[in-house]
């Protein structure tokens, strides 16, 4: 008799797709295709009035996706000048300011010498140069090139880069930030907006002639800052602008900075460029850039020119592309000089201006550092801290779960509706019979390899294990494990269930187990689509439960989620009536616990905006009156949650079950063997 571990090591038995994952079961392929399909639905405006009717709504959608709706409060900048040094033709000032209270921005201000009167200025935003930030050689070359053209240049370190590359500031924090409706871009843009606020306070800067420019991640900052902040008089975005369709279809695996929740549903890139009309905007791209395909950029600028043309300003939006790859190359820098000279200084026709030889001092120079000791002030807050503050504010503002029947009925109906809206809407149900891919014997049981269609263009693999000696309809437990169905089958609980006898469906929801794909790409593409992976995976469970519960072989259906997969189990049960009981084991008891750097949960677990609506406690309360168990809940570090904290989080669950007069109270078991407790609960519940 083989053990599950031994059998799982063999090349074939547990695989539904022995020849590799087909496109029809590939979650990444599904999300790419869905994004492309929806992106193609955005059409050019029929005329000026059509655009005027649409643009206000688009602007709101854009700010909401970024996380700038409502506008944050403009708190005091508390500017510090920590150093000043003289150079040939310009002065360097080291500036620190707080874009949010305690959120320090480190910047260098380059001021040209010998120019009378208020000067035009450019905010230069750095791309992904994590170690050097604003002082990366390529970016300093552009900064000094602009200074030589007569611009005051403010160059700052984006969060997580240069002097701000500190624990709690990583770019992956955008995943937990999205739980509260924030994004990396929210903080990047706010830093740019507050940079502009600072420049407006200076007597040597003309507030009507402030532009913005950047490359790659800085180009991202620029291309969204232009439609969001109307005070930027001109912009030049390098090596970033494309189209959502081309970028997602052919651009590959991107930083989460690029991804805004649901943005592909609401607009294409030509539309947000059009929101800046008639202010001058240029894109500069490499024709050989593999991550921002030039065809998408050309199409976006062509379509944006039609919108600008509605305001007789088609020449104010342009593309300068060069035979190069990704990077702020000299031809692109020269194009930027000419663009800004035309529109901020009124000289030249916008053609590229030759860049002279620019000598750079060592990037380690103390004159380039804002904080000479390499430390931010003691009162500095990290990105993670700001997100946690917002998460706690949201959770503390939740309506209490009603403990009376009528109040709970209204509360649960409304919350489920809000959840579906937040998670991208309820998908269209499909009705299909699971497809069998062979049967084999294991431990005296029959194991069927199945694929279950859960959406129009997607199926998921599963193993259906049925005790061979059993007769009549059996209860069924859908077992979910972040490690996939192989890990689920190695569980001692699975063996105990089969002995009862209780049937087991070890399910690989999309992007897990046999369906594993590029984690960041799939999770971030799902975010752009407006249907986060967590919601998609919960839908897989809902459909699987509905499909099998409709068969004569099965009775009650429970879901058992282990580790991070417990979030999938709980969300599926909260949103569905097809599931009769739910158990989570070693699962975080609150999404707030998932807000940390480095990420304590898989990327797929971070559903944008969910904390605006509900935490794990509220999801669990929606499961009433069905049997529910939290077995050994954990904190953000994967350690057992203290009993007092667990009980506090469980109070809303108790209220929901009291309201529904549930036959059995929900159970919370802390500090015990989670797997043993889970097995006992499932056996007792399903044997009733």
């Amino acid at each position: 008799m083989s053990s599950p571990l031994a059998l799982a090591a063999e090349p074939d038995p547990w695989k539904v797709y022995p020849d590799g994952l087909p496109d029809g079961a590939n979650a990444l392929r599904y999300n790419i295709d869905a994004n492309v399909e929806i992106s193609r639905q955005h059409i050019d405006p029929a005329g000026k009035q059509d655009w005027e009717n649409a643009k206000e709504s688009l602007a709101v959608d854009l700010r909401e996706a970024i996380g700038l709706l409502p506008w944050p409060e403009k708190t005091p900048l508390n500017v510090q000048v920590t150093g000043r040094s003289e150079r040939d033709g310009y002065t360097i000032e080291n500036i620190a300011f707080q874009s949010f209270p305690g959120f320090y921005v480190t910047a260098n201000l380059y001021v040209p010498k010998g120019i009378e009167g208020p000067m035009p200025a450019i905010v230069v935003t750095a791309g992904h140069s994590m170690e050097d930030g604003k002082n990366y050689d390529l970016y300093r070359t552009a900064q000094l090139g602009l200074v030589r053209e007569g611009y005051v240049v403010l160059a700052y370190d984006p969060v997580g880069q240069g002097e701000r590359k500190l624990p709690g500031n990583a770019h992956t924090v955008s995943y937990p930030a999205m739980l509260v409706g924030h994004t990396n871009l929210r903080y990047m843009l706010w830093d740019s907006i507050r940079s502009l606020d600072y420049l407006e306070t200076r007597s040597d800067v003309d507030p009507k002639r402030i532009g913005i420019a950047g490359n790659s991640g800085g180009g991202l900052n620029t291309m969204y800052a232009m439609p969001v902040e109307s005070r930027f008089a001109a912009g030049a975005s390098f090596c970033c602008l494309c189209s959502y369709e081309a970028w997602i279809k052919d651009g590959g695996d991107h930083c989460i900075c690029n991804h805004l929740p649901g943005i592909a549903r609401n607009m294409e890139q030509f539309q947000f460029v059009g929101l800046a009309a008639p202010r001058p905007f240029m894109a500069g791209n490499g024709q050989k850039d593999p991550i921002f395909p030039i065809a998408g950029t050309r199409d976006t600028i062509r379509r944006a020119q039609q919108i600008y043309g509605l305001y007789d300003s088609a020449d104010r939006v342009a593309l300068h592309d060069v035979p190069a790859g990704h990077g702020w190359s000299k031809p692109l820098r020269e194009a930027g000089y000419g663009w800004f000279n035309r529109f901020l200084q009124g000289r030249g026709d916008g053609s590229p201006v030759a860049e002279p030889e620019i000598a750079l001092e060592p990037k380690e120079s103390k004159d380039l550092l804002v904080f000479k000791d390499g430390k931010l002030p003691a009162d500095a807050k990290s990105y993670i801290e700001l997100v946690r503050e917002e998460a706690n504010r949201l959770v503390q503002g939740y309506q209490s779960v009603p403990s009376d029947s009528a109040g709970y009925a209204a509360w649960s109906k409304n919350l489920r509706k809000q959840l579906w809206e937040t998670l991208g809407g309820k998908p269209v149900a499909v009705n299909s019979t699971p497809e069998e891919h062979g049967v084999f014997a294991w431990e005296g049981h029959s194991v069927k390899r199945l694929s279950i269609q859960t959406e129009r263009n997607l199926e998921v693999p599963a193993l259906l294990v049925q005790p061979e000696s059993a007769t009549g309809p059996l209860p069924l437990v859908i077992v979910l494990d972040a490690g996939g169905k192989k890990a689920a089958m190695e569980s001692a609980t699975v063996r105990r269930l089969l002995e009862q006898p209780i049937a087991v469906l070890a399910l690989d929801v999309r992007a897990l187990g046999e369906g594993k794909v590029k984690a960041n790409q799939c999770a971030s593409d799902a975010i752009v689509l407006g249907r986060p992976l967590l919601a998609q995976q919960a839908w897989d469970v809902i459909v699987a439960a509905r499909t099998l519960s409709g068969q004569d072989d099965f009775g009650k259906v429970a879901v058992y989620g282990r580790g991070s997969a417990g979030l999938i189990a709980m969300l599926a049960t909260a949103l569905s009536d097809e599931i009769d009981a739910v158990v989570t084991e070693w699962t975080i008891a609150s999404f707030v616990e998932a807000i940390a750097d480095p990420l304590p949960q898989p990327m797929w677990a971070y559903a944008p905006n969910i904390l605006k609506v509900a935490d794990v406690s509220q999801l669990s309360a929606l499961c009433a009156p069905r049997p529910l168990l939290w077995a050994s809940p954990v904190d953000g570090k994967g350690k057992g949650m203290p009993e007092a904290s667990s009980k506090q989080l469980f109070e809303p669950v108790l209220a929901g079950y009291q309201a529904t007069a549930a036959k059995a109270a929900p159970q919370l078991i802390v500090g015990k063997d989670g797997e043993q407790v889970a097995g006992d609960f499932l056996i007792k519940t399903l044997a009733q």
Side-chain angles (χ1 to χ4, degrees):
M1 183 168 68
S2 63
S3 71
L5 282 171
L7 188 54
E10 296 177 14
D12 178 55
W14 302 122
K15 277 197 168 185
V16 173
Y17 308 115
D19 298 325
L21 192 67
D23 281 351
N26 187 314
L28 177 56
R29 181 77 267 155
Y30 173 86
N31 279 295
I32 289 173
D33 290 346
N35 270 301
V36 169
E37 180 180 0
I38 203 167
S39 292
R40 289 176 176 173
Q41 296 174 14
H42 299 296
I43 61 174
D44 300 306
K48 188 172 183 178
Q49 190 58 53
D50 187 26
W51 175 248
E52 288 287 334
N53 293 341
K55 70 177 187 179
E56 184 174 345
S57 176
L58 287 169
V60 169
D61 289 342
L62 180 61
R63 282 176 53 202
E64 184 171 24
I66 293 168
L68 288 174
L69 191 70
W71 287 113
E73 179 187 358
K74 286 194 175 182
T75 52
L77 288 169
N78 296 325
V79 177
Q80 302 176 42
V81 179
T82 65
R84 180 179 285 103
S85 52
E86 302 298 327
R87 295 293 185 271
D88 183 18
Y90 61 92
T91 300
I92 306 173
E93 295 182 20
N94 306 131
I95 306 291
F97 62 85
Q98 298 175 40
S99 58
F100 293 100
F103 198 52
Y104 283 84
V105 179
T106 47
N108 288 334
L109 187 77
Y110 296 87
V111 182
K113 294 180 178 178
I115 300 178
E116 295 183 3
M119 293 173 279
I122 308 287
V123 175
V124 174
T125 63
H128 287 70
S129 175
M130 311 313 289
E131 296 296 330
D132 301 327
K134 66 185 180 304
N135 294 334
Y136 180 53
D137 286 354
L138 197 64
Y139 301 151
R140 277 196 295 144
T141 302
Q143 293 160 21
L144 293 178
L146 288 165
V147 171
R148 291 178 183 276
E149 291 296 320
Y151 298 95
V152 174
V153 172
L154 189 151
Y156 70 84
D157 289 314
V159 61
Q161 298 178 220
E163 296 185 66
R164 299 170 79 191
K165 187 178 185 293
L166 299 168
N169 281 353
H171 279 203
T172 51
V173 173
S174 196
Y175 278 107
M178 287 186 188
L179 292 171
V180 303
H182 293 179
T183 63
N184 278 3
L185 196 57
R186 175 185 192 264
Y187 291 86
M188 293 162 63
L189 289 183
W190 196 243
D191 287 349
S192 292
I193 290 168
R194 299 315 312 271
S195 295
L196 188 154
D197 290 341
Y198 167 67
L199 288 172
E200 286 189 336
T201 69
R202 294 184 61 100
S203 61
D204 55 358
V205 170
D206 182 348
K208 301 297 185 183
R209 294 189 292 157
I210 300 175
I212 184 168
N215 176 74
S216 193
L220 177 80
N221 192 323
T222 299
M223 73 190 200
Y224 284 110
M226 283 295 291
V228 165
E229 177 51 82
S230 62
R231 290 178 298 159
F232 282 119
S237 170
F238 297 97
C239 297
C240 193
L241 186 79
C242 189
S243 67
Y244 294 128
E245 177 185 343
W247 160 56
I248 290 174
K249 178 174 176 287
D250 301 315
D253 196 0
H254 285 258
C255 175
I256 187 60
C257 293
N258 296 53
H259 299 78
L260 297 176
I263 193 68
R265 288 185 172 207
N266 294 326
M267 67 192 69
E268 248 294 1
Q269 293 195 14
F270 78 93
Q271 291 166 303
F272 75 66
V273 174
L275 288 175
R279 288 174 291 125
F281 175 81
M282 182 186 75
N285 287 59
Q287 298 164 6
K288 301 176 183 178
D289 189 338
I291 57 177
F292 297 106
I294 193 62
T297 311
R298 288 169 175 165
D299 188 57
T300 290
I301 293 298
R302 177 189 61 79
R303 299 176 79 179
Q305 284 174 334
Q306 295 180 13
I307 296 175
Y308 270 68
L310 300 174
Y311 302 92
D312 299 321
S313 58
D315 64 330
R316 287 174 168 253
V317 61
L319 168 63
H320 188 90
D321 59 71
V322 297
H326 186 78
W328 207 349
S329 60
K330 184 177 181 180
L332 293 181
R333 297 195 299 271
E334 293 175 336
Y337 305 149
W339 185 258
F340 285 122
N341 287 353
R342 176 187 173 190
F343 291 108
L344 295 184
Q345 294 191 27
R347 60 186 179 92
D349 62 2
S351 299
V353 171
E355 178 185 271
E357 190 69 26
I358 296 176
L360 298 177
E361 61 192 278
K363 59 190 175 187
E364 300 82 10
S365 169
K366 290 286 187 179
D367 288 345
L368 299 177
L369 296 178
V370 176
F371 295 109
K372 314 304 181 185
D373 60 358
K375 299 178 181 178
L376 294 186
D379 64 342
K381 292 182 179 180
S382 69
Y383 184 6
I384 276 291
E385 288 176 300
L386 294 184
V387 174
R388 274 212 165 223
E389 287 177 1
E390 178 64 9
N392 288 323
R393 186 190 71 82
L394 290 171
V395 170
Q396 290 166 9
Y398 291 160
Q399 175 191 349
S400 297
V401 177
S403 56
D404 65 288
S405 177
Y408 175 83
W411 173 87
S412 60
K413 180 180 179 181
N414 181 62
L415 182 56
R416 188 177 283 190
K417 178 176 179 289
Q418 286 183 300
L419 280 166
W420 277 124
E421 291 172 350
T422 300
L423 298 171
K426 191 172 184 179
V428 177
V430 294
N431 297 309
S432 64
T433 302
E435 183 179 349
E436 293 191 17
H437 296 259
V439 181
F440 63 93
W442 168 70
E443 301 279 346
H445 309 300
S446 171
V447 182
K448 291 181 181 179
R449 290 186 284 265
L450 301 178
S451 58
I452 302 171
Q453 185 180 1
T454 59
E455 300 211 43
R456 176 169 55 93
N457 294 320
L458 189 86
E459 63 183 33
V460 293
L463 299 173
L464 178 60
V465 191
Q466 296 171 275
E468 288 190 338
S469 59
T471 58
L474 293 178
L476 174 72
V477 176
I478 299 175
V479 183
L480 307 174
D481 193 292
K485 60 183 182 299
K486 282 186 180 180
M489 292 300 295
E490 292 164 7
S491 163
T493 298
V494 167
R495 285 191 173 191
R496 291 184 62 201
L497 295 173
L498 293 169
E499 289 169 359
Q500 291 311 301
I502 296 172
V504 168
L505 183 77
L507 179 66
D508 277 343
V509 294
R510 69 188 79 186
L512 295 186
E514 197 172 349
K516 187 176 181 180
V517 291
K518 291 181 179 179
N520 176 72
Q521 186 175 2
C522 191
S524 55
D525 283 356
I527 285 168
V528 171
L529 180 64
R531 291 188 58 207
L533 265 183
L534 180 63
Q536 295 185 28
Q537 293 163 332
W539 182 249
D540 292 339
V541 176
I542 292 170
V543 174
R546 178 189 303 147
T547 300
L548 293 179
S549 65
Q551 296 185 359
D552 294 337
D553 293 341
F554 306 108
K556 292 181 180 178
V557 177
V559 179
Y560 168 34
R562 308 175 70 209
S564 301
L567 292 172
I568 304 172
M570 193 62 72
L571 180 59
T573 308
L575 291 173
S576 166
D577 296 320
E578 285 86 359
I579 297 167
D580 300 302
V582 60
V583 174
T584 63
E585 174 198 335
W586 293 108
T587 302
I588 58 169
S590 168
F591 282 110
V592 180
E593 291 292 326
I595 301 172
D597 177 22
L599 300 185
Q601 293 293 307
M603 293 171 177
W604 53 257
Y606 294 92
N609 296 298
I610 196 166
L611 277 175
K612 288 184 175 180
V613 179
D615 199 358
V616 176
S617 300
Q618 287 69 38
L619 297 180
S620 300
L622 278 179
C623 298
R626 295 163 288 176
L628 174 148
L629 167 67
W630 284 11
S632 304
V634 299
D635 61 18
K637 296 180 180 179
K639 297 180 179 180
M641 177 79 75
E643 185 171 7
S645 301
S646 298
K647 286 184 175 180
Q648 184 178 7
L649 289 168
F650 207 62
E651 288 179 2
V653 189
L654 294 172
Y657 276 72
Q658 178 183 337
T660 57
K663 292 181 180 179
Q667 293 190 32
L668 165 67
I669 304 296
V670 180
K672 295 185 179 180
D673 183 342
E675 186 159 6
Q676 178 67 38
V677 170
D680 292 344
F681 180 87
L682 287 166
I683 291 168
K684 180 180 178 181
T685 297
L686 296 176
Q688 293 177 349

